[in-house]
Amino acid sequence: MASLGELERAVMDLLWETQEAVTANTLRDLLAQRPSQGEEAKELAVTTVLTVLSRLEKKGLVERERGIRPHRYQAVTSRAEHTAELMHEVLGTATDREAVLARFIGSVSDGEAATLRKLLGRD
Amino acid sequence: MASLGELERAVMDLLWETQEAVTANTLRDLLAQRPSQGEEAKELAVTTVLTVLSRLEKKGLVERERGIRPHRYQAVTSRAEHTAELMHEVLGTATDREAVLARFIGSVSDGEAATLRKLLGRD
DNA sequence: AACTAACTTCTACGGAGTGTAGAACAATTT
DNA sequence: AAATTGTTCTACACTCCGTAGAAGTTAGTT
């Protein structure tokens, strides 16, 4: 259960940008200013945003504060963390993990290769 | 257009294992011996397998030889290559690629870290 | 307390993707 | 030509996602 729809993705992106916990109304407004891709951004109904947030909560990506009345939502993990998890999920528990990694780093930019070297430390 | 269904995945796994081009009937038989997960493996109709193969062909993951009569199907890329592509897709074109890589590397096994060091070459 | 405004949950529907396979059509074998 | 084998078409049910109105709940106002 990993993939997100387009709107779900847009919401997560906003939650990842604004590190704070925000309300559904705020998100609706933020979404309205965001022409997702070529498409004119139209005002969504708040219930739409709420539905999406509920689904994201069920998926474990979003956490909500139920105490205060306009509930506030925030991402459970950072985007980087989430993406890294996804990458591991894709890598999987296969027997050929190393082969995959070989192909993977084969097409990584030079700069990123350098970063990786730094992160891995010299032996 | 990256994700696969459960049956599609099972078919791809078989095509990746048997490096050869195989027929739909062969695949049906192979699938029958494969209890996907806890579930008792039942015999699927050949048309089911054919439908899945067509869809995989449309997705560019499978190639078929139309010359001979029982068409033969094979994977276009190796599993390792495909998985590596998926990983890049997940990594995406975000601004925080390096942050993602950092998290990713952080949870890679020691042996794999060593492999990566080797692949990246010492500086 | 009753009323109202804001907010949340429930229910729903249409479209896309997937698993599944029969019906109809095409080619090969006997 | 008839029978067999193989492929394509069509179809349906189920899940996920975008979308939102209807109904229910909470809080603020009179």
Side-chain angles (χ1 to χ4, degrees):
Chain A
M1 202 195 273
S3 68
L4 300 182
E6 195 170 342
L7 180 53
E8 291 177 330
R9 178 74 201 182
V11 168
M12 285 312 298
D13 278 340
L14 286 174
L15 290 178
W16 278 322
E17 276 178 37
T18 75
Q19 195 65 21
E20 295 172 28
V22 291
T23 70
N25 274 294
T26 304
L27 284 170
R28 192 220 328 98
D29 295 343
L30 291 174
L31 285 167
Q33 303 171 224
R34 155 154 325 206
S36 47
Q37 49 185 28
E39 298 300 327
E40 261 320 302
K42 66 169 184 292
E43 186 98 343
L44 291 176
V46 190
T47 52
T48 300
V49 179
L50 283 166
T51 301
V52 167
L53 284 168
S54 290
R55 288 174 182 164
L56 289 172
E57 190 189 22
K58 184 179 296 179
K59 292 184 188 182
L61 296 182
V62 158
E63 208 172 34
R64 97 166 76 178
E65 295 175 36
R66 284 197 152 83
I68 36 183
R69 194 43 178 167
H71 292 178
R72 280 158 192 283
Y73 302 81
Q74 65 188 324
V76 168
T77 67
S78 72
R79 180 189 357 228
E81 202 153 341
H82 174 255
T83 307
E85 267 171 39
L86 264 194
M87 285 177 66
H88 270 107
E89 206 171 294
V90 169
L91 218 197
T93 348
T95 48
D96 56 353
R97 289 169 61 103
E98 306 214 344
V100 174
L101 289 174
R103 303 290 191 302
F104 176 72
I105 66 124
S107 45
V108 149
S109 81
D110 288 355
E112 279 159 357
T115 306
L116 286 175
R117 262 187 234 108
K118 209 162 298 175
L119 287 166
L120 286 162
R122 70 215 76 272
D123 46 10
Chain B
M1 205 196 268
S3 69
L4 300 181
E6 194 171 344
L7 180 54
E8 290 176 331
R9 177 74 200 185
V11 168
M12 285 312 298
D13 278 339
L14 286 173
L15 291 178
W16 278 322
E17 276 177 39
T18 75
Q19 196 65 21
E20 295 171 28
V22 291
T23 70
N25 275 295
T26 304
L27 284 170
R28 191 215 334 92
D29 295 344
L30 290 174
L31 284 168
Q33 302 171 225
R34 157 152 324 206
S36 48
Q37 49 186 29
E39 299 300 327
E40 262 319 303
K42 64 170 187 292
E43 186 98 341
L44 290 175
V46 190
T47 51
T48 299
V49 179
L50 282 165
T51 301
V52 167
L53 285 167
S54 291
R55 290 173 181 166
L56 289 171
E57 191 189 21
K58 183 178 299 178
K59 292 184 188 183
L61 296 182
V62 158
E63 209 172 35
R64 95 166 77 181
E65 295 174 36
R66 285 197 150 84
I68 36 183
R69 194 42 181 171
H71 294 177
R72 282 160 189 280
Y73 301 81
Q74 65 188 324
V76 167
T77 67
S78 71
R79 181 193 351 231
E81 203 152 341
H82 175 255
T83 307
E85 266 172 39
L86 263 194
M87 284 177 65
H88 270 107
E89 205 170 295
V90 169
L91 218 197
T93 350
T95 48
D96 56 353
R97 290 169 61 104
E98 307 214 342
V100 174
L101 288 175
R103 302 292 191 303
F104 176 73
I105 291 301
S107 44
V108 148
S109 81
D110 289 354
E112 280 160 358
T115 306
L116 285 175
R117 266 187 230 106
K118 209 163 297 174
L119 287 165
L120 285 163
R122 61 216 83 268
D123 47 8

